[in-house]
């Protein structure tokens, strides 16, 4: 195990050097890297929106809009086709998903069916159901009445097509804003995810994305005063529309569209040469120019309306024909609003309305604060862990710290190489793996010490220690990896970033501990030829410790049972402090522009807005405030209205550092995903442990893990900490950590079962726990030190996450000793071992120590 060929040594050093080179660009600024030669690696980790600022917006397309548009199109097509075929009809109307028409002459029914046959022709082939799509079906069961109904497959096809078109339109709109590296991608069957890093004005982005931008040019109906139309009924073929003014002005508009935005080829924000007011200049294609020229020539002296999303922008008079196909749109624009309208017109209209169902916006200032807090927590956590390892293992601890530095470099290098996104929870993942990276080294070093005490030479002890620790290292890290993979596939946003970082950390831990540390130890052995293992300044667990853990198992079972029952009762009777991820609503973090924040004033001003339940609390510094607004009854759009009201009320005195909005649709899905994630993780771990051990071990590990989950939920109930997606990530990580610790104990139990075939099980379990107690204690301490640095210095945003992790690590260590191990007695792992056997020393102390 300690021999390395020259070729293998070269490969290991090359791997280490490569990761260091890949990680190095993250130490320099972008301007510095730009001055370096082109062959030098320059790729840096991509910072998530929570670190560099920006907006994450999830849009949902409403299929009802598509159905409505399809029915209107179908009515127009029926009217045109029947008129062209000279077939009389009446009662043309649509409702729900059906359009119906009655043929007045029974002799023309067959001719009508033939004329309307194009409506039921397949619109595509091979996309769904293995064949063509029939978008509409015909029902002629009632004499003279033809009913055309939109099919489910037709709706799905229309939605898919419209979503693809919407993604293109949204991409054009976002790109027109001039932002760097925006992400616009499909999510599910009816959603679009938009992420724009570094965005300074998220409100502007939402306004641009939320408009359908259907532009039409229509004539103003001047046959009667608009007030008469409002008091009575508008004349046939006309409708009343309102302007964008405040208060809005009504106009009587002919339904006939002269020309639409589909014929636009360009739109630019300019200034009127006479009034110097911002306007939007537009230009049609040849077809649109011809229609526009004909309409203006035929209607000189009349008014025509420019309509955007059923609102009248302006209604100028046609003084003369406009044959060139170009013109201007004026309407009380500012320079920015004129530019935004030009962006919308150039990008094209959306086929259906997009509603914001989730928003997470972080200001650049908060992102910089989070980066600083993460760096401080990482540095302090690293110093604590490095110092502790040196105190616990002396020179071997120094070698482990070198491997730890390589471990961090490998994580950063791989994140840079893969282009992975580093989020704030991702920084927490790096700091956490710093604490857990020494776990494998502790396992190895404790095994080496144990083999040396058993009488082996230094070289034999080190060689055997690495060999025997391998299986335990693999088993303990695989269980953590299972929980992490589940977290990646079922998590979203920053939680997924944590999963990526943590998973990479698990893999690099195994490499650095078992390969790189082993290489360093072999080099030391070859050069120093030591006669004894290096001494440690402090011995935390004296060799030969024999604590009778199983003697108090009934007390620990009782304590855990009581605490578990209390946790469940508390969860069912006391409302846990769910974050907006799971109950919906809005979360806003603001910072006072001058002096400390006035919580009472904020609370009073927001209460007057009549937006429902409002919670205002200090968040970190005296000038930082966290505002929570409950879910609105008006649905997804109402959530956005709340943000607009709060922003309008407070933006003069407060900077908006973070905004999170989760609508009822998304919150319900996140709660469901969270439950599935925990169940899948537990099932995967159960299968793996059952495969690697016996069924008693698998069930015992799961019971102990469920115990830790229940305890952690009780911790959230007791402390009132917010339970959000990050908290769910903490629970899944605790599952992996707890299993990691339990597997180490179980692995030693399995080994001792082969060694001491007649030893009573309680005594064997005491023996196994005491043999691994030093490892369990040291690993827990290093992890706790890293987490403590995160709790104290990592910032308020991830405090609930790190506090839950800290609590979970403590209880995970407790359950491995006092729950997982005693359960093996309850499950009769060794049937011949009875309760009376606990008092019988078998084999004596010497036999146990061999």
């Amino acid at each position: 195990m300690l021999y390395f060929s020259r070729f293998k040594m070269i490969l290991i050093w090359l791997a280490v050097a490569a990761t260091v080179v890949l990680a190095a660009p993250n130490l320099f600024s972008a301007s510095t890297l730009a001055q370096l030669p082109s062959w030098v690696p320059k790729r840096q980790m991509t910072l998530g929106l929570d670190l560099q600022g920006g907006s994450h917006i999830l849009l949902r397309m409403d299929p009802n809009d598509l159905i409505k548009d399809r029915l209107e199109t179908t009515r127009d097509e029926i009217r045109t086709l029947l008129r062209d075929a000279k077939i009389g009809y009446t009662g043309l109307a649509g409702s729900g998903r059906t359009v119906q028409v009655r043929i007045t002459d029974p002799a023309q029914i067959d001719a009508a069916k033939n004329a309307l046959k194009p409506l039921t022709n397949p619109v595509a082939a091979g996309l769904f159901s293995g064949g063509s799509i029939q978008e509409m079906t015909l029902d002629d069961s009632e004499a003279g009445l033809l009913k055309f109904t939109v099919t489910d497959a037709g709706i799905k096809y229309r939605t898919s097509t419209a979503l693809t078109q919407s993604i293109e339109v949204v991409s054009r709109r976002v790109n027109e804003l001039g932002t760097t590296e925006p992400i616009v991608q499909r999510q599910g069957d009816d959603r679009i995810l938009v992420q724009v890093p570094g965005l300074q004005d998220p409100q502007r982005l939402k306004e641009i994305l939320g408009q359908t931008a259907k532009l039409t040019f229509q004539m103003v109906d001047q046959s009667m005063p608009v007030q008469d139309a409002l008091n009575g009924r508008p004349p046939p073929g006309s409708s009343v529309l309102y302007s964008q003014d405040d208060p809005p002005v009504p106009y009587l508009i002919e339904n006939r569209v002269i020309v639409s935005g589909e014929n636009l080829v360009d739109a630019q924000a300019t200034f009127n040469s006479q009034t110097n007011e911002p306007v939007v200049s537009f230009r049609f294609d040849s077809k649109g120019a011809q229609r526009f020229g004909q309409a203006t020539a035929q209607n000189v002296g009349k008014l025509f309306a420019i309509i955007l999303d059923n609102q009248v922008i302006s209604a100028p008079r046609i003084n003369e024909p406009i044959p060139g196909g170009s013109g201007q749109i004026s309407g009380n624009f500012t320079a920015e609003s004129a530019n935004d309208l030009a962006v919308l017109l150039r990008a094209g209209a959306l086929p259906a309305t997009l509603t914001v169902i989730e928003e997470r916006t972080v200001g650049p200032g908060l992102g910089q604060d989070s980066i600083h807090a993460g760096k401080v927590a990482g540095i302090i956590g690293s110093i604590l862990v490095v110092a502790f390892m040196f105190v616990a293992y002396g020179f071997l601890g120094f070698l482990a710290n070198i491997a730890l530095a390589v471990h961090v470099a490998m994580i950063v290098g791989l994140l840079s190489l893969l282009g992975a996104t580093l989020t704030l929870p991702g920084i927490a993942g790096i700091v956490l793996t710093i604490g857990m990276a020494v776990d494998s080294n502790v396992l190895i070093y404790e095994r080496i010490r144990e083999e040396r005490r058993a009488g082996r030479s230094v070289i034999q002890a080190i060689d055997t220690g690495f060999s025997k620790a391998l299986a335990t290292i693999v088993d303990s890290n695989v269980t953590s990896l299972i929980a992490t993979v589940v977290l990646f596939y079922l998590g979203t946003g920053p939680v997924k970033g944590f999963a990526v970082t943590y998973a990479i950390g698990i893999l690099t831990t195994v490499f650095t501990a078992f390969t790189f540390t082993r290489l360093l130890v072999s080099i030391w052995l070859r050069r120093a030829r030591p006669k004894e293992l290096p001494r440690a300044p402090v011995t935390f667990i004296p060799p030969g410790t024999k604590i009778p853990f199983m003697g108090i198992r009934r007390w620990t079972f009782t304590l855990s049972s009581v605490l578990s029952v209390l946790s469940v009762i508390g969860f069912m009777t006391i409302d846990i402090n769910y974050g907006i991820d799971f109950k919906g609503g809005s979360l806003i973090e603001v910072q006072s522009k001058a002096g400390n924040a006035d919580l009472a004033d904020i609370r009073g001003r927001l209460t007057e807005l009549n937006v429902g339940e409002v919670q205002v609390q200090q968040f970190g510094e005296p000038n930082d405030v966290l505002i929570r607004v409950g879910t609105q009854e008006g649905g997804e759009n109402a959530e956005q209205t709340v943000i607009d009201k709060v922003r309008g009320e407070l933006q003069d005195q407060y900077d908006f550092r973070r905004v999170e909005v989760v609508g009822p649709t998304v919150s319900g899905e996140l709660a469901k995903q969270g439950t599935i994630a925990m169940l899948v993780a537990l099932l995967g771990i159960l299968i793996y442990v059952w495969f690697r051990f016996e069924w008693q071990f698998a069930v015992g590990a799961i019971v102990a893990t469920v115990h830790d989950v229940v305890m952690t939920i009780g911790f959230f109930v007791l402390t009132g900490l917010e339970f959000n997606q990050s908290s769910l990530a903490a629970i899944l990580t605790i599952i992996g950590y707890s299993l990691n610790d339990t597997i180490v104990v179980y692995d030693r139990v399995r080994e001792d079962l082969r060694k001491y075939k007649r030893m009573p099980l309680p005594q064997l379990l005491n023996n196994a726990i005491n043999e691994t107690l030093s490892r369990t204690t040291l690993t827990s301490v290093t992890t706790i030190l890293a987490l403590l640095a995160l709790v104290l210095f990592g910032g308020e945003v991830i405090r609930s996450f790190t506090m839950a992790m800290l609590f979970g690590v403590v209880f995970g260590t407790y359950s491995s000793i006092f729950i997982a191990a005693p359960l093996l007695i309850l499950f009769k792992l060794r049937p011949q071992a009875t309760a009376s056997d606990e008092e019988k020393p078998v084999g004596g102390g010497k036999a146990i120590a061999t």
Side-chain angles (χ1 to χ4, degrees):
M1 289 291 290
L2 293 176
Y3 172 74
F4 287 86
S5 65
R6 185 178 298 275
F7 178 72
K8 192 173 183 180
M9 288 180 64
I10 291 173
L11 285 179
I12 293 173
W13 284 113
L14 283 176
V16 172
T19 55
V20 170
V21 170
L22 289 172
N26 294 280
L27 300 175
F28 304 97
S29 64
S31 58
T32 302
L33 291 174
Q35 299 174 4
L36 297 177
S38 58
W39 53 268
V40 176
K42 300 177 183 178
R43 191 167 189 175
Q44 296 178 309
M45 287 185 294
T46 303
L47 296 181
L49 298 181
D50 54 351
L51 294 179
Q52 65 170 313
S55 289
H56 161 111
I57 295 176
L58 186 62
L59 304 163
R60 185 169 72 91
M61 175 181 291
D62 188 356
N64 292 325
D65 284 357
L66 298 175
I67 296 174
K68 181 180 177 181
D69 288 346
R70 184 61 185 131
L71 291 184
E72 290 179 357
T73 304
T74 302
R75 281 202 304 269
D76 293 341
E77 288 179 352
I78 291 174
R79 184 182 295 111
T80 302
L81 292 172
L82 292 180
R83 283 179 178 175
D84 291 345
K86 296 184 174 17
I87 297 173
Y89 65 91
T90 186
L92 177 58
S95 63
R97 292 164 56 171
T98 301
V99 177
Q100 65 181 25
V101 61
R102 185 174 295 278
I103 308 302
T104 54
D105 184 359
Q108 290 186 309
I109 291 179
D110 290 337
K113 290 180 182 178
N114 188 58
L116 299 177
K117 189 175 182 181
L119 297 177
T120 57
N121 286 340
V123 293
L127 294 178
F128 302 96
S129 305
S132 60
I133 300 171
Q134 188 172 11
E135 192 177 6
M136 303 201 77
T137 57
L138 170 62
D139 178 11
D140 59 352
S141 56
E142 188 175 340
L145 186 66
L146 303 180
K147 293 182 179 181
F148 294 88
T149 303
V150 183
T151 64
D152 291 336
I155 294 174
K156 190 173 183 180
Y157 167 75
R158 284 280 171 181
T159 303
S160 177
T161 304
L163 194 65
T164 301
Q165 181 183 344
S166 297
I167 291 173
E168 294 177 359
V169 173
V170 168
S171 297
R172 289 197 293 267
R173 292 184 184 181
V174 174
N175 290 331
E176 288 279 359
L177 293 176
T179 56
T180 57
E181 299 182 1
I183 297 173
V184 180
Q185 61 188 28
R186 183 181 190 134
Q187 191 169 87
D189 295 331
D190 59 352
R191 298 179 187 181
I192 301 173
L193 174 65
V194 180
Q195 291 185 337
V196 187
L199 185 67
Q200 300 292 326
D201 189 0
Q203 188 65 23
R204 183 183 175 204
L205 174 65
K206 286 192 297 181
E207 290 173 356
I208 287 178
L209 296 181
Q211 293 192 54
T212 308
K214 289 186 177 180
L215 182 73
T216 58
F217 293 80
Q218 299 168 229
M219 296 303 300
V220 176
D221 188 344
Q222 297 175 273
S223 63
M224 66 183 300
V226 66
Q227 196 61 44
D228 292 348
L230 288 171
N231 295 334
R233 289 185 61 182
S238 297
S239 304
V240 176
L241 298 181
Y242 290 86
S243 71
Q244 296 178 327
D245 301 309
D246 187 16
V249 178
Y251 288 89
L252 186 59
I253 306 296
E254 294 182 6
N255 294 339
R256 180 175 58 91
V257 174
I258 299 172
V259 63
S260 69
E262 296 176 358
N263 299 113
L264 278 177
V265 294
D266 190 26
Q268 297 291 335
T270 59
F271 290 91
N272 188 302
S273 58
Q274 297 178 349
T275 63
N276 204 33
E277 293 178 348
V279 295
V280 177
S281 298
F282 61 87
R283 183 163 52 87
F284 290 118
D285 59 17
S286 58
K287 183 178 179 181
Q290 181 182 2
R291 287 184 178 178
F292 192 65
Q294 289 176 351
T296 54
Q298 294 170 2
N299 294 281
V300 173
K302 297 182 180 179
L303 301 178
F304 80 99
I306 304 171
I307 300 169
L308 181 70
D309 291 344
N310 290 324
Q311 285 188 306
V312 179
I313 298 177
S314 62
R317 185 178 302 278
I318 304 174
N319 295 321
E320 58 184 9
I322 308 176
S326 62
Q328 290 182 346
I329 302 174
S330 59
N332 297 323
F333 293 125
T334 63
E336 184 176 85
S337 63
N339 184 66
D340 287 348
L341 177 57
V343 167
L344 290 172
L345 298 182
R346 286 198 302 270
L350 290 168
T353 303
L354 295 177
T355 304
V356 178
I357 60 174
E358 181 184 5
E359 176 195 353
R360 300 181 191 274
T361 298
V362 176
L366 180 59
Q368 289 300 318
D369 291 348
S370 297
I371 293 175
H372 176 72
K375 286 181 178 178
V376 171
I379 291 171
I380 294 176
S382 299
I383 291 173
L384 291 175
V385 172
V386 166
F388 183 81
M389 284 299 292
F390 183 76
V391 169
Y393 292 104
F395 182 74
L396 288 179
F398 172 73
L399 296 182
N401 288 333
I402 295 176
L404 182 62
V406 172
H407 160 77
V408 174
M410 293 188 78
I411 292 178
V412 175
L414 288 173
L415 286 174
S416 302
L417 179 65
L418 297 173
T421 300
L422 180 66
T423 60
L424 185 56
I427 293 179
I430 293 177
V431 177
L432 180 59
T433 57
I434 290 173
M436 295 186 66
V438 298
D439 174 48
S440 298
N441 285 310
V442 170
L443 272 171
I444 294 167
Y445 289 169
E446 288 302 312
R447 198 68 197 231
I448 290 172
R449 285 178 171 180
E450 189 178 334
E451 296 299 327
R452 180 61 179 145
R453 288 194 296 267
R456 297 182 185 273
S457 67
V458 173
I459 295 179
Q460 288 177 330
I462 292 175
D463 190 58
T464 306
F466 274 101
S467 299
K468 290 188 174 182
L470 177 60
T472 306
I473 291 172
V474 171
D475 284 337
S476 60
N477 282 285
V478 166
T479 52
S480 294
L481 195 60
I482 289 173
T484 308
V485 169
V486 172
L487 191 60
F488 175 79
Y489 279 104
L490 295 179
T492 58
V495 173
K496 186 167 291 203
F498 167 78
V500 172
T501 305
Y502 193 55
I504 291 175
I506 292 172
L507 298 176
T508 55
T509 293
V510 176
F511 171 81
T512 54
F514 195 75
T515 302
F516 187 67
T517 303
R518 188 159 54 93
L519 175 61
L520 295 178
V521 170
S522 68
I523 293 173
W524 169 68
L525 281 176
R526 190 167 60 252
R527 294 187 176 182
R529 299 185 182 279
K531 302 297 182 183
E532 190 54 74
L533 293 175
R535 292 185 178 275
V538 178
T539 300
F540 291 92
I541 304 295
T545 299
K546 296 188 182 299
I547 301 174
F549 292 103
M550 295 304 102
I552 59 171
R553 67 178 184 273
R554 293 179 179 86
W555 292 100
T556 58
F557 274 158
T558 301
L559 175 64
S560 293
S561 299
V562 170
L563 291 178
S564 298
V565 170
L566 289 176
S567 294
V568 173
I569 292 175
F571 176 73
M572 296 176 66
T573 57
I574 302 175
D575 288 337
I576 195 169
N577 184 19
Y578 285 113
I580 63 171
D581 292 332
F582 297 119
K583 68 177 183 181
S586 306
L587 182 147
I588 307 163
E589 183 182 343
V590 299
Q591 186 177 71
S592 174
K593 294 180 178 180
N596 294 339
D598 188 342
L599 301 186
D601 177 62
I602 294 175
R603 191 177 294 110
R605 291 164 67 180
L606 296 185
T607 301
E608 293 177 357
L609 296 178
N610 295 321
V611 293
E613 179 188 0
V614 177
Q615 298 178 9
V616 181
Q617 66 183 71
Q618 186 177 320
F619 189 69
E621 300 299 323
N623 60 338
D624 290 332
V625 179
L626 194 67
I627 303 168
R628 289 187 178 88
V629 183
T631 306
Q632 302 299 299
E633 296 181 357
E636 316 287 356
N637 289 322
E639 304 288 351
Q640 292 299 318
T641 302
V642 165
I643 298 298
D644 295 339
K645 288 183 177 180
V646 174
R647 190 182 295 275
E649 184 68 30
L650 301 179
Q651 63 183 354
D652 291 339
Q653 296 175 311
Y654 295 88
D655 290 323
F656 281 67
R657 291 161 62 82
R658 176 165 58 116
V659 175
E660 296 185 13
V661 181
V662 179
T665 302
V666 173
S667 61
E669 292 172 354
L670 290 177
K672 181 180 178 181
Q673 283 182 342
T675 304
I676 294 174
M678 280 195 286
L679 294 176
V680 171
L682 289 173
L683 179 61
I685 291 168
L686 173 66
I687 294 172
Y688 179 80
V689 177
W690 200 324
F691 175 77
R692 292 287 292 144
F693 298 83
E694 297 178 44
W695 70 266
Q696 291 96 332
F697 289 98
V699 177
I702 292 299
V703 171
T705 305
V706 171
H707 163 272
D708 297 338
V709 172
V710 171
M711 289 293 102
T712 306
I713 292 175
F715 173 73
F716 276 102
V717 173
L718 181 65
T719 60
L721 286 173
E722 181 179 298
F723 190 87
N724 50 33
Q725 274 202 90
S726 295
S727 307
L728 178 63
I731 289 180
L732 285 171
T733 309
I734 289 168
I735 289 174
Y737 179 86
S738 176
L739 261 297
N740 183 307
D741 209 18
T742 301
I743 292 300
V744 171
V745 175
Y746 277 181
D747 193 74
R748 183 56 64 94
V749 171
R750 181 175 58 178
E751 182 180 330
D752 286 352
L753 283 170
R754 302 190 191 104
K755 188 185 298 185
Y756 311 121
K757 297 186 181 298
R758 298 184 59 193
M759 180 181 290
L761 187 56
Q763 188 175 343
L764 184 144
L765 293 173
N766 278 332
N767 189 57
I769 294 172
N770 281 290
E771 286 174 344
T772 58
L773 187 60
S774 182
R775 174 266 164 198
T776 299
T777 304
L778 295 180
T779 297
S780 297
V781 169
T782 55
T783 308
I784 287 172
L785 287 174
L787 287 170
L788 201 56
L790 281 171
V791 170
L792 297 177
F793 306 103
E796 290 287 339
V797 177
I798 58 170
R799 181 148 296 166
S800 64
F801 168 79
T802 51
M803 287 186 68
M805 280 295 306
L806 188 61
F807 177 86
V809 166
V810 172
F811 259 84
T813 304
Y814 162 84
S815 68
S816 299
I817 298 173
F818 294 106
I819 303 297
L823 282 172
L824 298 179
I825 300 175
L826 185 64
F827 296 151
K828 302 187 185 307
L829 178 64
R830 180 174 279 179
Q832 67 268 29
T834 62
S836 61
D837 289 333
E838 294 183 41
E839 307 301 327
K840 298 179 183 179
V842 176
K846 292 183 180 179
I848 295 175
T850 58

